[in-house]
Amino acid sequence: MDIDIRTLVLSGLLLGVVYGVFMGLFGVLRSENASFVQLSPAR
Amino acid sequence: MKVPLLFLLTLVVTFPPLYVFSALARSRLRFLDTLRLLLVGVTVNVALLASFGPVTGFFTLSTESYPFMIVLNVLFFVVSGTAGLVFMYKAVAAVFDVEDEKAFPVEADVTTNSDPTTGEETEDPKDKPESASVEKGEAPAEGKSEKSAPESPAKLIFCVWTIIYGVVGAQMGWILRPFIGAPTKEFEWFRDRQSHFFEAFVKTLKDLFQ
């Protein structure tokens, strides 16, 4: 295997952050405590 | 940064058992090779997870149910994790198959006959163990190849490690929560240590259908 470990770690980190942003969106947009843009609060 | 941290910490916790067990199973994979193999599997896992991002975004905008979002994300993690592990399993199997051929060259000689007239080796399917067992009236074992005996410990170890990886990953996710962020609670980086992942997941499922 000639795959560079650093490349694997970096791509894993980047892709993980991408999904983390999508995951975190719900808490941000539906938060009852948010003082900025807010969709209807979650139930 | 919590999602990459989840995978990284799970890897740190579960890497030593896999390496030690594979060393005991006479794997020729060195430390860095084993690490690279795991990192490839995790990268496949995270890549698939990231591809689910737009779906998560869609449901974020279209639903208000917090339990639904939790169950959806757990489902995505399970699906992508399974795909990553299947990928890793195929890589492990390929590595061990190659090593078995190197480690057990006698096995290849069993299936070949030397032609006394020409001196050339000709392959005779009748001499294969499976064919022999059929001739003796024994049913051949389904799904077992000729090389199943020497390679089965390695694959068994990987299967056991898969379970450890899944359980550790689930609990690691529980420790690092919240990932989504409960809309009714104040923002917090980490929550108190209480209960465990499986109890909380069952409770969330109940909440979802109430």
Side-chain angles (χ1 to χ4, degrees):
Chain A
M1 285 187 289
D2 297 325
I3 308 166
D4 184 25
I5 287 182
R6 197 169 43 183
T7 310
L8 286 171
V9 172
L10 284 176
S11 52
L13 282 174
L14 187 70
L15 291 164
V17 169
V18 167
Y19 189 71
V21 168
F22 279 107
M23 270 182 104
L25 266 180
F26 184 84
V28 173
L29 295 178
R30 302 283 181 193
S31 174
E32 290 176 353
N33 306 308
S35 56
F36 46 95
V37 60
Q38 184 187 20
L39 300 175
S40 55
R43 279 177 287 179
Chain B
M1 288 300 286
K2 275 190 179 181
V3 176
L5 194 66
L6 165 68
F7 285 100
L8 204 65
L9 290 177
T10 306
L11 206 65
V12 167
V13 172
T14 56
F15 176 68
L18 179 69
Y19 178 66
V20 172
F21 276 119
S22 65
L24 289 174
R26 296 176 187 175
S27 163
R28 290 179 188 178
L29 285 179
R30 288 168 296 166
F31 182 84
L32 282 179
D33 289 334
T34 313
L35 182 65
R36 205 169 283 147
L37 188 71
L38 288 185
L39 282 174
V40 169
V42 169
T43 306
V44 169
N45 184 344
V46 183
L48 192 60
L49 197 60
S51 73
F52 284 130
V55 183
T56 306
F58 168 73
F59 280 106
T60 294
L61 297 174
S62 61
T63 183
E64 297 173 356
S65 171
Y66 180 57
F68 174 77
M69 287 306 292
I70 292 176
V71 172
L72 184 77
N73 277 284
V74 169
L75 188 73
F76 286 163
F77 270 86
V78 169
V79 169
S80 60
T82 307
L85 286 170
V86 166
F87 185 86
M88 223 185 285
Y89 180 80
K90 283 180 181 173
V92 166
V95 167
F96 277 94
D97 280 351
V98 170
E99 286 177 0
D100 286 339
E101 281 169 16
K102 287 179 187 169
F104 300 95
V106 180
E107 207 169 298
D109 294 342
V110 172
T111 56
T112 55
N113 280 336
S114 192
D115 189 338
T117 53
T118 59
E120 289 174 6
E121 286 191 340
T122 54
E123 193 170 320
D124 187 355
K126 284 182 183 175
D127 287 331
K128 289 183 178 176
E130 195 176 298
S131 305
S133 65
V134 172
E135 283 175 8
K136 288 175 189 172
E138 296 168 8
E142 276 186 24
K144 283 188 178 179
S145 69
E146 293 165 39
K147 286 178 284 185
S148 62
E151 74 191 18
S152 55
K155 288 183 179 175
L156 181 70
I157 284 169
F158 184 76
C159 288
V160 171
W161 179 82
T162 300
I163 296 167
I164 296 171
Y165 180 77
V167 174
V168 170
Q171 188 63 17
M172 192 66 79
W174 179 248
I175 291 169
L176 293 177
R177 78 193 194 286
F179 286 87
I180 299 173
T184 52
K185 293 181 181 173
E186 288 286 337
F187 173 80
E188 53 191 350
W189 284 105
F190 298 100
R191 286 187 194 152
D192 296 334
R193 305 271 166 81
Q194 50 182 347
S195 181
H196 54 84
F197 168 81
F198 301 99
E199 185 190 333
F201 184 67
V202 170
K203 187 175 175 296
T204 305
L205 274 178
K206 283 178 185 169
D207 290 347
L208 180 63
F209 294 107
Q210 272 177 0

